[in-house]
Amino acid sequence: MASNPSIVHLPDLVLYNICSFIECPFDLLHFGNTCSRLRKISSSSSLWWSVAFRWLKGLWFFMEEGTSEENARNWFLEILRIYSKRSLNTKLECHFSNNETWIRVDSPKFRFLVNMIRLAYSRDKDDHPAVLYEQWLYDIGVYKRLESSIDFTVPNLKFTESMVHQLSALGQASERDLQRRKQPYKDPKYYIRRISSSRDSWMSDLFPENPCGSVCPLLMSPFQEAINHETSGLQGLAMCFSVVFERRLQNYYRTSFVSLQRIWEIVKVFTTVFLSEMLNLLPLFEASHDLKFIVITAVDENLYDFKQLQLILDTIDLNIKSKDVIQDLSVFLKRYNGLDFAVDDVRSHFRSALNEEIKNVLFPSDSFNSSVTRINITDSDLIGGDNSRQEMSAAAFVSDNGVLVTWHLTGRMRY
């Protein structure tokens, strides 16, 4: 009797080609864990080289931690470990008096994507002595509802004392921001409130200020007016520059044996020098000119030679011309209506991947028609509350099966 066909009976080259179509590092790991032969094939440095450039696109400059691993697979696995850590400051469980329980179910893939999004939305911070702390994206979490007995879709939902206590603890509103001369102490029962429910387009219906499909209430895709008013600044320009420089490096080192750690170091140094060069270039333009215009004009009219960039490339013995990289940046920016749109194109990769993880929790395969209800769990005015001093902006998005919670610590000034 003929044996049943199996994937492991395929030639090594065919299996390698199959692995090359696996874009997610976690899926590639799972595929390799099937057997020792698949593990060996899926551990090829060229596969992990491609995965690293795909999953860290535009973010190499923003990564604060690297690793000494020389092997591409081991290097990226260490990066996954570093950036898959969950915040220790947000709740793991919520227990309501009617036996309903919310259990945190973040997967390592989910945590990694959250931390990548945190890097992608990192912002320039003004050094103001009144701002003590800021973490724009404080955390994102998903919870599974057990013994779900609360109908959050009821328009006039009455929050019990247990619900108020659990939800306020989940939201982590800053107590000091609830006690102001113009903001008398507020019992959580006054700011824990149901906003509305939505079914098919809940991400655009329920998120404040119409974030056009963004994952979080304060992580908005650019609006049309972003053409004239850039918000991403030099941080956004650094992301775009990193993207085009990464492409050069990936092509240049396609057949070489330079480690990913070395690539990370090169991108960090080169992008830092580029930002320094940009600061020297800015005085040549009017303050009203946006960064996209400045870069494109400087390239088209040959206004700046970027000598320091070339010195860096020569020092690290790269056969790449700085003018070619800047030209690539100009071409890249010309494809978009504004710098914010280019930056959002990079961010959208991580948002889309995280959306899939969120849907797996909120909408298991048999519940795609479930409604989602937004519950504000702090009183911040940035999400529709009435406290302009509240630093923590947090909201819960509840479906029949799960809950998405987003937290943003916005670093308000103190006097």
Side-chain angles (χ1 to χ4, degrees):
M1 181 181 294
S3 60
N4 293 327
S6 170
I7 190 173
V8 296
H9 294 149
L10 296 173
D12 285 359
L13 182 58
V14 175
L15 292 174
Y16 175 88
N17 287 334
I18 291 174
C19 289
S20 68
F21 285 98
I22 301 177
E23 297 185 352
C24 174
F26 295 93
D27 293 340
L28 187 57
L29 280 174
H30 292 157
F31 185 78
N33 287 337
T34 306
C35 66
S36 58
R37 180 165 173 245
L38 290 180
R39 176 183 172 84
K40 181 178 179 181
I41 295 172
S42 66
S43 297
S44 169
S45 291
S46 59
L47 291 173
W48 288 93
W49 176 277
S50 299
V51 167
F53 274 95
R54 187 182 303 116
W55 274 68
L56 301 178
K57 176 184 175 182
L59 300 184
W60 295 74
F61 171 70
F62 299 95
M63 292 166 50
E64 295 296 332
E65 297 184 72
T67 168
S68 59
E69 291 285 351
E70 293 294 321
N71 176 272
R73 177 181 182 273
N74 293 341
W75 183 89
F76 196 73
L77 290 184
E78 183 63 15
I79 293 298
L80 290 180
R81 185 192 66 79
I82 293 172
Y83 287 98
S84 295
K85 296 177 181 177
R86 190 188 65 78
S87 171
L88 299 177
N89 299 317
T90 47
K91 292 193 67 172
L92 294 176
E93 299 180 356
C94 289
H95 300 277
F96 301 97
S97 59
N98 56 2
N99 294 326
E100 176 164 341
T101 300
W102 296 357
I103 302 293
R104 190 84 171 247
V105 289
D106 300 359
S107 66
K109 180 180 179 181
F110 182 91
R111 296 311 318 161
F112 179 75
L113 289 169
V114 168
N115 285 312
M116 289 297 100
I117 285 182
R118 182 178 287 119
L119 291 180
Y121 281 93
S122 60
R123 309 184 310 157
D124 287 318
K125 298 182 178 69
D126 295 328
D127 293 327
H128 196 294
V131 178
L132 299 183
Y133 184 67
E134 176 184 38
Q135 191 169 350
W136 187 243
L137 197 168
Y138 188 70
D139 200 9
I140 305 175
V142 283
Y143 297 76
K144 184 176 181 180
R145 294 181 67 186
L146 303 179
E147 303 293 334
S148 54
S149 55
I150 304 173
D151 185 2
F152 287 93
T153 63
V154 176
N156 297 318
L157 176 65
K158 301 295 183 182
F159 290 92
T160 65
E161 183 176 345
S162 168
M163 293 168 64
V164 169
H165 174 73
Q166 290 295 320
L167 292 174
S168 61
L170 181 65
Q172 297 188 348
S174 175
E175 287 293 322
R176 59 177 174 266
D177 292 329
L178 293 171
Q179 302 177 66
R180 297 282 179 183
R181 286 187 298 109
K182 295 183 179 180
Q183 185 75 25
Y185 179 78
K186 292 181 65 176
D187 189 293
K189 66 183 180 182
Y190 295 115
Y191 65 78
I192 301 295
R193 61 192 182 96
R194 177 187 179 279
I195 303 302
S196 62
S197 297
S198 180
R199 186 179 298 274
D200 297 326
S201 53
W202 66 277
M203 277 200 163
S204 58
D205 293 344
L206 300 182
F207 285 77
E209 301 183 67
N210 186 22
C212 305
S214 297
V215 168
C216 299
L218 303 181
L219 305 185
M220 295 183 291
S221 302
F223 296 111
Q224 194 63 28
E225 55 264 31
I227 297 174
N228 300 316
H229 304 283
E230 290 178 350
T231 60
S232 50
L234 286 174
Q235 292 286 90
L237 188 62
M239 185 181 296
C240 295
F241 182 78
S242 182
V243 168
V244 298
F245 186 48
E246 290 161 24
R247 290 176 182 171
R248 284 275 174 177
L249 289 174
Q250 190 174 11
N251 292 332
Y252 182 74
Y253 285 121
R254 190 178 297 277
T255 58
S256 72
F257 298 94
V258 176
S259 68
L260 289 174
Q261 175 66 13
R262 181 59 175 156
I263 294 294
W264 172 67
E265 293 169 352
I266 291 172
V267 173
K268 291 278 285 187
V269 172
F270 196 61
T271 306
T272 300
V273 175
F274 166 72
L275 292 178
S276 176
E277 294 274 70
M278 281 300 302
L279 291 175
N280 294 332
L281 178 61
L282 292 179
L284 302 179
F285 293 84
E286 296 180 9
S288 60
H289 287 149
D290 58 63
L291 292 174
K292 175 190 172 183
F293 173 84
I294 291 174
V295 171
I296 294 174
T297 303
V299 171
D300 291 347
E301 299 183 10
N302 198 24
L303 298 179
Y304 201 76
D305 54 18
F306 294 95
K307 286 183 178 179
Q308 292 299 318
L309 283 179
Q310 191 58 53
L311 287 175
I312 293 295
L313 292 172
D314 294 341
T315 300
I316 56 183
D317 197 27
L318 285 180
N319 187 25
I320 298 175
K321 299 299 181 183
S322 62
K323 286 189 175 181
D324 292 338
V325 180
I326 300 300
Q327 180 68 42
D328 290 346
L329 177 61
S330 175
V331 172
F332 178 77
L333 292 176
K334 286 179 180 178
R335 292 164 43 194
Y336 299 93
N337 288 330
L339 177 62
D340 289 354
F341 291 87
V343 170
D344 194 70
D345 196 30
V346 177
R347 294 170 173 171
S348 64
H349 165 72
F350 300 102
R351 286 205 307 266
S352 297
L354 190 60
N355 278 340
E356 291 302 315
E357 296 299 302
I358 292 171
K359 289 177 182 177
N360 289 338
V361 176
L362 268 61
F363 310 107
S365 57
D366 59 345
S367 61
F368 286 112
N369 291 323
S370 173
S371 293
V372 176
T373 301
R374 173 180 153 205
I375 308 293
N376 277 7
I377 51 180
T378 69
D379 63 340
S380 171
D381 63 325
L382 294 179
I383 56 171
D386 61 356
N387 190 346
S388 61
R389 295 284 187 168
Q390 180 58 252
E391 291 184 335
M392 185 64 80
S393 300
F397 302 84
V398 187
S399 74
D400 290 343
N401 299 277
V403 184
L404 165 68
V405 182
T406 63
W407 296 266
H408 302 272
L409 193 59
T410 53
R412 302 299 181 87
M413 293 184 180
R414 303 191 184 287
Y415 299 96

